[in-house]
Amino acid sequence: MQRLSFAAEATEEACDAMVAPSLGGARHYLSNTERTWKFRVLMNHDMIANERLALVGNCESLGNWQLNDSVLMSKDEDEDSNVWSVLVQIPRERNTEYRYLVCAVDPDVGKPIVRRWETHLQPRQILELANEPPRQCYDIFGYLNGSEKIDRGWLSSERIIQLKFFNAPFIWKQRMKRRLLYVKVTPMNLRIPSNGLDNNMIACSLSPLEDSLSNDTHDTKENGGDGGTAFAFSEVVVLNAEDSVIRPQAQFGTACGFNDLVIFHLTVGDFESTAYLIDLYTYSSKANTEDPPHHLGYHYVLPNLFKSSEGHLEVAITCASRHRPLGMMQFGYLIVKPVPSLSMDMSVSYQRYWNDKWQGLDVGHRGSGTSFKANASSIRENTITSLKNAADHGADMVEFDVQLSKDLVPVIYHDFMIYVSLKSKNSLQEHDFLALPMRELTLEQLKNLKVYHTAEGQSREMRSFSNDDLQEHQPFPQLADVLDAIDLHVGFNIEIKWSQRLQDGTMEEEFEHVVDRNLYVDCILDVVFRRAGKRHIVFSCFDPDICTMLRYKQNRYPVMFLTIGVTEKYKKYLDPRGNRIETAVFNSLAMELLGIVAHTEDLLRDPTQVNLVKNRGLVVFCWGDDNNSKDTIKMLKDLGLHAIIYDKMDVLTSKEIKQSVFLLQAKDSQKELLKLQALEMGKMWHPSTQSSLNKA
């Protein structure tokens, strides 16, 4: 740890020759083109054990926006002070940009993780040749130009484990059914002993009653650990109107009642060596308000129980006093891993950015609209041609669906199932089709086989599209090709397709995914980050856990939660988070998503829900067949929706100028730049200026 704490111990004298190394340990030596700068920041937010302030910026001494090369800061010696500082050499003759972050350094691997960071669109700046400010001046963490913008970090080397306790998932004897329980989850460090004991024996040796269990991060040295620290942060969020913010757990847990949606949010450095102690507490009805609760029971969840990135566990509750089975509890889990192929920089983040001018945007549904319904588009949906046609008629953004082929290539297609023709005939009979999950075919097979849409396979009515033999009219275009083919100024709403379990226990479209969630999302993100350039992109998904993954696997693009809301058209999901707009709002706030994509059927039922979303600072799009009407589109825009997704952009748009809002803004920016250049040139050749130059 000495090499990581050098910045905290640096002095002004030492900086005359050499300044603090980055987190990566590289030392930076003073040159004539550099100046010593003392960065000082006031921290007004609570910090917990293992958290420290750090600094990252656009020059080598500030890490070139790379997390691993950021610079740790030290807290001023005054015990009452919340001011952190560090001396760094920065360039003299160019502007220096920088941000502050709260980080924690894993002592085992020496890699930092970002707990929170400043996400203003424009970072802090020190102008070239500027003098260092007086010592009493300092920045305030998160505040810049009168606004506060702080976001949670993303995954770099650690993992996030979420345990979902929805609607009191406990199975008891009759006398316990109405008891309100409080749940606390504590990460525990597992020691792999040399005597060959298995994990069950290790868990039995750990005491659930240690005082240290009330800490958010703690040393498990006395609890059977190997003497190291369980590098973890244990937090929780309750999805309701009063909370919906991830925060440290209370000493005696969080209430998990019949109407509560509780998610335990655990950030873990060493997944394979971390177990999770679940403690259950209850309060006696006769106890005073200040009396501690009764420790009812507990269970150790070992890492080998997590068989995949998602799932459900049913485990026994052990009585705390008698160490006998007391009941059962059932909960879901989600494991989020970093994307191996991506290395995020910290130069900019759009995850919760939305320009005030982006109101009532027109979004082309699957490009130019669905092509297998009544009055459908004459262009095949989700093709490059369909997307281009929508863009040519003024779409600000185009919405399309992405899923993976068998060989893990992201392709554009909506349905999970497809129909393949078995014979080449002029007229096709029922037995001439084979229904297959799209995931069963490779990209090559999807391109070469005669594939029919689900609606065609079920009705036996084949649709013919003009120029169907041309490449850009073909179904299953690759995501990479779409990113290259469509004008850069057209925004993308990329919907990630993932089937969910319904309330009746069946799977959506009777389709089960076989690819691991993390791998599935990683394949899509890898393509986007390699090919997107400066394009405006918003991710969306009906599955709330996919939204969580998209949020924490990257720090660049915003994510929106697609919801069905209150509806008579679709079956409800087993996961309650997307079945009501209000609950979707709470989940979006908790996971720091940009907003929701609401079903217009529900908005028309109760238009006041638009303000419910906007008043919480979220962005709201809408989707649904109801949008395919000029009157409805106008009404939705009047309600203040940020974007409306609809079919037939060439028919329904009311735009006079058939260009995206992002292209118009780019043109306006170019005009402003040209005006500024002209102004500067005018100053250069003004007679008074020319006279001064001649004298010189």
Side-chain angles (χ1 to χ4, degrees):
M1 289 294 292
Q2 289 300 316
R3 66 185 182 90
L4 299 174
S5 61
F6 185 89
E9 300 169 359
T11 62
E12 290 191 56
E13 291 77 10
C15 281
D16 288 338
M18 180 178 68
V19 298
S22 67
L23 283 168
R27 294 183 176 181
H28 183 73
Y29 291 85
L30 179 63
S31 71
N32 292 331
T33 60
E34 295 175 321
R35 50 187 166 158
T36 301
W37 198 275
K38 186 171 185 177
F39 292 88
R40 303 178 76 229
V41 58
L42 174 65
M43 183 58 170
N44 282 333
H45 295 263
D46 292 336
M47 297 174 67
I48 60 177
N50 292 339
E51 290 186 341
R52 291 186 63 178
L53 271 170
L55 183 67
V56 67
N58 68 339
C59 58
E60 183 180 356
S61 57
L62 293 178
N64 290 319
W65 295 122
Q66 297 301 307
L67 170 62
N68 287 341
D69 294 324
S70 56
V71 179
L72 284 175
M73 306 181 74
S74 61
K75 192 174 181 179
D76 284 4
E77 294 180 0
D78 184 354
E79 292 183 1
D80 297 326
S81 172
N82 286 320
V83 175
W84 295 67
S85 62
V86 68
L87 288 165
V88 181
Q89 295 298 322
I90 61 173
R92 288 182 181 275
E93 299 177 354
R94 68 181 177 93
N95 296 345
T96 298
E97 296 179 345
Y98 66 100
R99 301 180 189 275
Y100 294 108
L101 62 143
V102 177
C103 69
V105 181
D106 187 337
D108 293 326
V109 297
K111 292 185 177 180
I113 66 173
V114 179
R115 300 283 294 149
R116 285 159 288 169
W117 65 306
E118 297 181 326
T119 53
H120 303 85
L121 194 62
Q122 298 297 327
R124 299 178 185 275
Q125 190 175 70
I126 301 170
L127 299 179
E128 60 176 319
L129 304 178
N131 294 321
E132 187 181 358
R135 288 289 186 259
Q136 65 271 21
C137 295
Y138 43 72
D139 299 320
I140 301 176
F141 180 74
Y143 283 92
L144 181 61
N145 298 327
S147 66
E148 183 183 39
K149 291 190 180 298
I150 303 171
D151 282 353
R152 296 181 71 87
W154 68 99
L155 294 177
S156 50
S157 59
E158 72 283 15
R159 296 188 192 183
I160 289 173
I161 293 84
Q162 290 191 343
L163 305 183
K164 294 168 282 185
F165 283 70
F166 292 170
N167 309 122
F170 310 106
I171 304 172
W172 303 103
K173 297 177 182 179
Q174 187 65 32
R175 66 182 180 85
M176 292 291 298
K177 284 188 175 180
R178 296 186 178 276
R179 187 68 64 89
L180 176 61
L181 295 186
Y182 290 74
V183 179
K184 183 171 184 183
V185 182
T186 307
M188 305 290 289
N189 190 42
L190 283 177
R191 176 176 60 87
I192 306 301
S194 58
N195 56 9
L197 295 177
D198 62 25
N199 281 342
N200 289 321
M201 297 177 69
I202 297 170
C204 291
S205 69
L206 299 179
S207 167
L209 301 176
E210 295 287 341
D211 292 337
S212 63
L213 299 187
S214 64
N215 296 333
D216 294 303
T217 56
H218 55 273
D219 191 336
T220 57
K221 197 177 296 184
E222 297 177 4
N223 293 336
D226 61 359
T229 299
F231 185 76
F233 294 89
S234 184
E235 299 168 295
V236 66
V237 59
V238 183
L239 305 184
N240 60 33
E242 292 73 36
D243 199 1
S244 296
V245 174
I246 297 175
R247 60 181 79 253
Q249 294 187 60
Q251 181 177 2
F252 298 113
T254 302
C256 293
F258 293 103
N259 297 316
D260 293 328
L261 303 179
V262 181
I263 301 175
F264 292 92
H265 185 92
L266 314 166
T267 306
V268 176
D270 185 356
F271 174 77
E272 286 75 16
S273 298
T274 305
Y276 308 90
L277 171 61
I278 302 176
D279 282 303
L280 305 181
Y281 299 93
T282 185
Y283 288 86
S284 170
S285 59
K286 298 180 181 180
N288 294 323
T289 55
E290 297 180 358
D291 289 346
H294 171 62
H295 186 205
L296 185 67
Y298 65 94
H299 185 89
Y300 285 97
V301 177
L302 302 175
N304 58 7
L305 291 181
F306 300 121
K307 302 300 183 183
S308 63
S309 293
E310 54 148 345
H312 287 80
L313 296 178
E314 181 174 323
V315 299
I317 301 169
T318 301
C319 178
S321 58
R322 300 183 180 181
H323 303 290
R324 295 188 305 190
L326 186 63
M328 303 289 292
M329 54 183 166
Q330 302 169 328
F331 54 88
Y333 71 84
L334 175 70
I335 300 171
V336 189
K337 305 175 184 178
V339 185
S341 62
L342 299 184
S343 177
M344 305 290 162
D345 71 47
M346 301 180 70
S347 58
V348 68
S349 174
Y350 303 103
Q351 284 197 321
R352 290 202 286 177
Y353 172 75
W354 192 259
N355 193 308
D356 292 338
K357 296 180 180 179
W358 300 342
Q359 297 283 336
L361 302 192
D362 298 286
V363 183
H365 181 223
R366 306 183 197 177
S368 297
T370 56
S371 51
F372 298 98
K373 291 183 179 180
N375 301 316
S377 171
S378 60
I379 303 173
R380 187 188 293 272
E381 66 184 44
N382 277 326
T383 59
I384 290 178
T385 297
S386 182
L387 299 171
K388 281 186 172 181
N389 183 69
D392 290 342
H393 288 87
D396 300 301
M397 305 181 77
V398 287
E399 181 269 351
F400 53 84
D401 311 280
V402 175
Q403 49 187 311
L404 299 185
S405 63
K406 185 177 182 179
D407 46 348
L408 304 181
V409 178
V411 296
I412 313 303
Y413 199 72
H414 177 269
D415 294 71
F416 295 114
M417 302 296 293
I418 58 174
Y419 282 80
V420 178
S421 173
L422 298 179
K423 296 181 181 180
S424 177
K425 291 185 176 182
N426 293 329
S427 61
L428 293 170
Q429 304 301 317
E430 184 175 353
H431 61 275
D432 294 327
F433 281 103
L434 177 64
L436 289 173
M438 203 211 78
R439 64 158 191 252
E440 294 299 328
L441 297 179
T442 65
L443 177 65
E444 193 67 23
Q445 290 169 330
L446 290 171
K447 289 182 176 295
N448 293 329
L449 291 175
K450 189 65 176 177
V451 177
Y452 295 90
H453 189 271
T454 304
E456 296 176 300
Q458 292 172 345
S459 65
R460 313 301 161 186
E461 296 181 5
M462 306 299 107
R463 278 219 60 183
S464 60
F465 299 98
S466 59
N467 299 317
D468 211 16
D469 56 334
L470 299 180
Q471 184 62 38
E472 290 193 347
H473 289 255
Q474 295 299 307
F476 311 108
Q478 293 178 238
L479 174 60
D481 292 339
V482 169
L483 286 162
D484 291 342
I486 309 302
D487 186 281
L488 187 64
H489 296 98
V490 177
F492 280 5
N493 177 187
I494 303 177
E495 180 187 339
I496 310 299
K497 296 293 292 183
W498 187 272
S499 63
Q500 296 186 72
R501 192 166 297 281
L502 304 173
Q503 275 190 349
D504 61 11
T506 63
M507 288 298 294
E508 192 175 11
E509 295 189 27
E510 300 181 358
F511 180 87
E512 290 268 10
H513 282 279
V514 295
V515 178
D516 182 83
R517 272 182 191 257
N518 275 286
L519 177 59
Y520 191 94
V521 175
D522 290 353
C523 291
I524 296 170
L525 288 177
D526 179 75
V527 171
V528 170
F529 272 81
R530 283 191 292 107
R531 308 292 275 268
K534 296 183 178 180
R535 186 186 302 277
H536 294 272
I537 289 177
V538 174
F539 289 109
S540 63
C541 188
F542 282 102
D543 186 284
D545 287 338
I546 292 291
C547 290
T548 297
M549 285 186 157
L550 289 165
R551 164 61 180 87
Y552 286 107
K553 281 177 173 286
Q554 51 90 33
N555 68 2
R556 180 63 55 88
Y557 300 111
V559 183
M560 301 190 71
F561 184 17
L562 268 160
T563 68
I564 58 171
V566 177
T567 176
E568 296 179 0
K569 298 180 180 180
Y570 302 99
K571 294 181 179 179
K572 289 187 177 298
Y573 293 121
L574 181 62
D575 191 310
R577 288 176 283 178
N579 291 336
R580 291 174 59 239
I581 286 179
E582 185 179 41
T583 312
V585 166
F586 299 154
N587 185 73
S588 298
L589 290 170
M591 298 301 124
E592 293 192 351
L593 309 183
L594 178 66
I596 71 167
V597 187
H599 189 191
T600 300
E601 178 191 0
D602 198 7
L603 294 180
L604 295 177
R605 179 188 64 81
D606 181 5
T608 64
Q609 295 180 108
V610 175
N611 287 332
L612 170 70
V613 183
K614 297 181 68 176
N615 289 343
R616 301 303 290 265
L618 297 177
V619 171
V620 56
F621 290 12
C622 67
W623 67 279
D625 293 337
D626 294 299
N627 289 355
N628 296 322
S629 157
K630 285 189 176 181
D631 291 338
T632 303
I633 293 171
K634 182 179 184 305
M635 186 201 75
L636 292 168
K637 289 185 178 183
D638 290 342
L639 284 174
L641 270 81
H642 296 92
I644 297 93
I645 304 170
Y646 59 91
D647 296 336
K648 294 189 175 180
M649 188 67 59
D650 54 339
V651 176
L652 298 176
T653 183
S654 59
K655 277 190 172 184
E656 295 182 3
I657 301 176
K658 307 301 184 185
Q659 294 178 343
S660 75
V661 64
F662 307 116
L663 177 57
L664 293 175
Q665 283 189 334
K667 288 182 176 179
D668 289 342
S669 297
Q670 184 66 22
K671 289 178 182 177
E672 291 299 321
L673 183 61
L674 291 175
K675 286 182 181 178
L676 195 61
Q677 290 176 341
L679 183 62
E680 291 298 321
M681 290 298 294
K683 289 180 179 179
M684 177 65 71
W685 296 108
H686 191 274
S688 61
T689 306
Q690 189 62 40
S691 175
S692 298
L693 290 174
N694 291 336
K695 289 180 180 178

